[in-house]
Amino acid sequence: MSAGAIGGAGTAVASGFSLKEQSAKETGRAFAGGAAAADDASIIFYNPAGMTKLERSQISLNSHFLFVDSAQRNDGTTLTVPGVPSAIPVTGNDGGNPFDQPVIVPTGYAAFQATDRLWFGLGISAPFGLKVEYDPGFFGRYDSIKSEVKTVNIQPSVGFAINDNVSIGGGIDIQQIDVKLRNALPNLVPGAGDGELNISGDDLSVGWNAGVLFSLGKIRLGGHYRSKVTHRLDGKYQVSGLVGPLAGANGTAFATAPLEIPESVTLSAMYGVGERFRVMATGQWFNWSRFDAIVVEPNGRPATVSEQNYKDSWSGHGAIEFDASERLTLRAGGLYDTTPTRDAFRTTRVPDGDRIWATAGATWRLNDRIDVNVSYAHVFVSEERLDRRDVLFAGTAAATTARIVSTNSGNADVIGTSLTVRL
């Protein structure tokens, strides 16, 4: 088991709480260039071996603007409390759209050529996280009110061309993570309002990644592996607002939470190297089955455990790209991305479903040194059912079962921009 307090930083645009938006150019081709395209410095994230195919040393600065629409419908959420023979319906509003508008994801990469064969690079990205916050009075408040995760991944990298056909590369992932979770707790005194549970924590840990690139005339093949990152978050566990027999649970304690960010494998192919028209394809796998529970361990209190039971996820990507002129390149693509969540364990913290992306983008070469990239994607998210049970105040006479029954729906629009400067 490896899970942690990060459990609810989901987004409607990527599986679980991962973020695909690492490169504006890749967004325009549905990330199908992946580990093989190697045409700007963002290849540092996707496959450091690809630095060896860049024109010259360069810097790429990216910004993505995510407009996410997500909604919950109450299909019979209830509380089962001690001494009451039947479940009590939970009323409230639908929580509104829990995502900020827009969500902004910045990334940056720098690749430097040391010799004809040796390259060094540095990437700064946010591979996981986002913010979900529902309106006061949300019917799913005993499941979640707010879930916020921020990651910063600093990736020093190296690429080396063994010969004209084979390159290898790798890097270190120095990953900072900050987490905040909040949900309501029911008071058992008639007429009393809800209490609250607030959890926060952070950690800095290290992982690694490695890749290989094969160049075979017009064909380029790339493979990349990114390791898991093992975190142990330190932070605060705070209960407030409980009254009557539950008042003794109020207070603040130091807490820890183990977490493993899953490893991933990416395989990519491109046909048309050096040609005006190119075709790209990528397959990607995430080992999400590592995330089986949220476990928070406060000092002097029983551990809080919330089962998640994620399954592994995969995605398939395809794209075409055309050089309309010496200055203008056009691209379009699509992808299918599966959710790692399951109906009986899905949570409003991660309002997730299978996704289909439709994307388009363009590059305008201002001169020999500067490129401007723009991209757009629409993300269709499948409607998914939530039907999960969590026991609150477990192990006490006040043990209460919160059952959330709802339907999640949503979609998203993504705008990506980047500036690449060759040195």
Side-chain angles (χ1 to χ4, degrees), residues 25-199:
K25 183 177 282 189
E26 281 301 324
T27 298
R29 54 193 177 209
F31 314 100
D39 52 4
D40 75 7
S42 66
I43 191 64
I44 292 168
F45 181 85
Y46 297 102
N47 183 2
M51 286 189 288
T52 62
K53 298 300 179 182
L54 297 177
E55 292 181 49
R56 63 181 81 163
S57 298
Q58 57 187 262
I59 296 171
S60 180
L61 302 176
N62 301 259
S63 292
H64 284 86
F65 303 88
L66 284 57
F67 300 86
V68 184
D69 183 21
S70 181
Q72 297 289 336
R73 184 185 70 219
N74 190 355
D75 294 330
T77 299
T78 61
L79 279 179
T80 302
V81 302
V84 179
S86 60
I88 302 170
V90 176
T91 59
N93 60 55
D94 64 6
N97 185 357
F99 291 91
D100 288 342
Q101 304 293 326
V103 176
I104 301 174
V105 182
T107 59
Y109 308 93
F112 301 98
Q113 185 173 15
T115 71
D116 289 345
R117 296 185 180 274
L118 180 65
W119 286 70
F120 294 102
L122 180 67
I124 301 175
S125 61
F128 294 88
L130 220 52
K131 179 182 177 182
V132 177
E133 185 170 8
Y134 295 94
D135 293 340
F138 174 44
F139 73 84
R141 58 192 176 275
Y142 302 122
D143 181 48
S144 77
I145 297 174
K146 179 179 180 179
S147 305
E148 183 175 1
V149 174
K150 296 179 181 178
T151 61
V152 177
N153 198 83
I154 300 175
Q155 183 188 327
S157 302
V158 62
F160 181 74
I162 297 174
N163 52 46
D164 291 342
N165 302 111
V166 181
S167 298
I168 57 175
I172 302 297
D173 293 302
I174 305 168
Q175 191 173 101
Q176 170 71 29
I177 186 167
D178 295 272
V179 178
K180 295 178 182 177
L181 302 178
R182 176 160 54 97
N183 61 269
L185 296 172
N187 271 302
L188 303 185
V189 175
D194 292 325
E196 270 194 358
L197 171 62
N198 284 273
I199 298 170

Side-chain angles (χ1 to χ4, degrees), residues 355-391:
R355 289 156 303 282
I356 296 174
W357 290 58
T359 75
T363 297
W364 179 257
R365 178 163 286 200
L366 296 177
N367 53 49
D368 289 342
R369 292 185 176 273
I370 300 175
D371 290 354
V372 175
N373 299 288
V374 294
S375 62
Y376 169 77
H378 184 76
V379 187
F380 303 88
V381 185
S382 65
E383 186 174 277
E384 299 290 347
R385 181 172 172 80
L386 285 74
D387 187 355
R388 70 170 288 134
R389 293 171 172 85
D390 288 294
V391 178

Side-chain angles (χ1 to χ4, degrees), residues 239-261:
V239 177
S240 61
L242 295 179
V243 299
L246 296 175
N250 292 325
T252 302
F254 174 80
T256 61
L259 164 69
E260 283 186 345
I261 294 290

Side-chain angles (χ1 to χ4, degrees), residues 1 28 54 82 85 110 202 264 277 280 289 303 360 363 381 388 419:
M1 181 200 72
L54 297 177
D202 59 71
S264 62
F277 182 78
M280 306 173 195
S289 56
T363 297
V381 185
R388 70 170 288 134
L419 179 70

